[in-house]
Structures are given as C-alpha cells and as structure tokens.
Amino acid sequence: MQYISSYKWLVYLGLQEFKVDGKTFQVEIIDSVQDYLEYMKEIFDFGAIRTLLHGDGGTDGLPILIDAMSGVTGPYVKRIICDELGANESSAVNCTPLSDFGGGHPDPNLTYAADLVTEMKKGSHGFGAAFDGDGDRNMLLGKNAFFVTPSDSLAIIAANLDCIPYFQKTGVKGYARSMPTAAAVDRVAELTGKEIFEVPTGWKFFGNLMDSGRLSLCGEESFGTGSDHIRLECFENL
C-alpha cells in the first residue's frame, strides 16, 4: 500500500512540470475568473451595459446592488461588475467567499437575502441581484425592492434574448421551464413562434434538450437560469 507523504502546492498561474515516478507530469493553472470574464464578453455587449450603468451624458446611470452572499460568485462579481464595468465598489457586497457564508444562508430569496431587500427598499438603487453559494441561482429585484419572480425573470430574458450578441449569432432555438414554474415564458414562446418545453424538475432534462439543439434558454422555480452557451446550469447571471 502506498501513502502520500507530502504535498506540492501550486501557487502561481501557468504551466508547471513535476517528475512523478520518473515521468514528466504537467499541470496548468488558469485564472478561472478571467477566463469566465472573457467568455462573457463574447456573449454580452459590455459596452452597452457600461453605458447603462454610467449614463451617456443625456441620461443618468443605473445604480445597482449585487449581493454575492459570501459564496463563490464574489470574485466574479468584483471582477466583472466593478473592475470591468466600472461600477462603484459599494455596488458589490459580501464578495469574499467564506466557508460558513458569513453565518448566513446563501439562498437568494426574500427571506435569506433580507439585507439586500432592506437596502433596495430605500430606493437608491434601480436594480438588485443576489446569488446563491455556488452561483447557479439568482434573485432579481427592481427599484424599491420590486420582486421579480423566477418565472417572470425567465420570461423577461426570453422576450429580450435577441438583444444579446450571442443569440444574435446562434439564433434562438426554444425555451424550457420546470413544471412548477409559472407559464409566463410560454406566452413569450407563443408570441415569438418558438418551441416551449415543460419538463420535470432537474437540470438533466434541460441538458437533453440542449444536446438535441432545441433549447436556448431555460429556468426553474428555484431561481435557476441557464442557456446553451454552456450545457450545465450557470450565472451568468450577469
């Protein structure tokens, strides 16, 4: 029986080589946040989003508040929202990932994201969002903490999907929702002439539709949203 007697820590980015049993073993470490940012730039119009946030001289910018709930999305929120799009540092809160989520419960809803709701009720921000611990679910709020239900947020995205550069290139194939999700997106599908699918709860059912080339956007009642830019449930929750 063999035992591990020591560990080698990989502390810098790039390609690194090690000798294992006389053979060369290579490990490449990437900056996953930067990698994700570059992909998001291919999907969304960052220039248009930046103008929305800051205004264009004739209009005021949109004050936003994003709560990462001390989960893994924190570094992504900081890099994209603050560093890349130029939002004020105060626009992003709870962005340091913590093993205990700061004592909170990283579930983006009106109960567990109560601090975000309270702040949004003050009316200083026009848009708010919270992400769960692993970044695959989101809650959206409008001005004065107007709550956008998961079914409505899915429908709003669907109705504006052709404004996103990625879908301008790939086309919009169809939409899908979990069975418990309200049917707002069905109305969008009817108006746009796209296929709509109602599936059991479980992301594998969305994945099957993506694999068959019949799905561009999907969502479920528990605040999960995804698209075919990546097969798995994702957040791009930008």
Side-chain angles (χ1 to χ4, degrees):
M1 182 178 293
Q2 294 182 328
Y3 298 91
I4 296 176
S5 59
S6 63
Y7 295 92
K8 291 184 180 293
W9 291 96
L10 307 181
V11 296
Y12 58 88
L13 299 177
L15 190 65
Q16 302 171 59
E17 291 189 354
F18 303 89
K19 289 292 185 179
V20 179
D21 294 333
K23 298 180 181 180
T24 300
F25 182 71
Q26 293 184 330
V27 175
E28 182 178 6
I29 300 179
I30 67 168
D31 181 345
S32 60
V33 178
Q34 184 64 31
D35 191 61
Y36 184 78
L37 169 61
E38 293 304 322
Y39 191 31
M40 291 301 100
K41 287 181 177 180
E42 297 178 19
I43 295 174
F44 297 101
D45 185 341
F46 271 51
I49 298 173
R50 195 175 291 110
T51 298
L52 174 67
L53 295 180
H54 299 284
D56 59 4
T59 59
D60 294 331
L62 176 68
I64 64 173
L65 184 59
I66 311 298
D67 189 348
M69 303 191 80
S70 300
V72 298
T73 61
Y76 297 82
V77 170
K78 278 288 188 181
R79 181 77 67 86
I80 295 174
I81 300 298
C82 299
D83 297 345
E84 185 67 27
L85 295 175
N88 192 287
E89 290 290 324
S90 61
S91 299
V93 297
N94 299 317
C95 287
T96 300
L98 301 173
S99 59
D100 64 350
F101 304 107
H105 185 67
D107 199 354
N109 56 43
L110 296 175
T111 299
Y112 295 113
D115 289 344
L116 174 66
V117 175
T118 298
E119 192 63 32
M120 290 294 297
K121 284 182 177 179
K122 297 177 181 179
S124 300
H125 301 89
F127 175 81
F131 301 117
D132 73 330
D134 60 355
D136 61 4
R137 294 185 293 120
N138 62 89
M139 177 181 72
L140 305 182
L141 298 173
K143 191 174 180 63
N144 300 316
F146 179 86
F147 176 54
V148 183
T149 68
S151 58
D152 285 347
S153 66
L154 178 63
I156 291 169
I157 297 171
N160 294 279
L161 213 57
D162 57 1
C163 297
I164 299 175
Y166 171 79
F167 295 105
Q168 292 172 355
K169 296 177 182 178
T170 64
V172 179
K173 305 175 184 71
Y175 315 114
R177 60 174 176 81
S178 59
M179 183 275 292
T181 303
V185 71
D186 298 38
R187 306 295 176 261
V188 177
E190 182 180 0
L191 290 172
T192 57
K194 305 298 181 183
E195 284 191 294
I196 178 68
F197 301 93
E198 179 186 270
V199 302
T201 298
W203 215 257
K204 64 180 180 180
F205 300 106
F206 294 141
N208 291 338
L209 289 168
M210 291 180 189
D211 290 343
S212 64
R214 301 178 70 181
L215 177 61
S216 291
L217 179 72
C218 56
E220 57 186 8
E221 76 286 351
S222 59
F223 297 81
T225 315
S227 83
D228 66 347
H229 73 287
I230 184 169
R231 188 184 186 280
L232 297 178
E233 185 175 9
C234 179
F235 201 302
E236 58 338 331
N237 290 313
L238 173 60

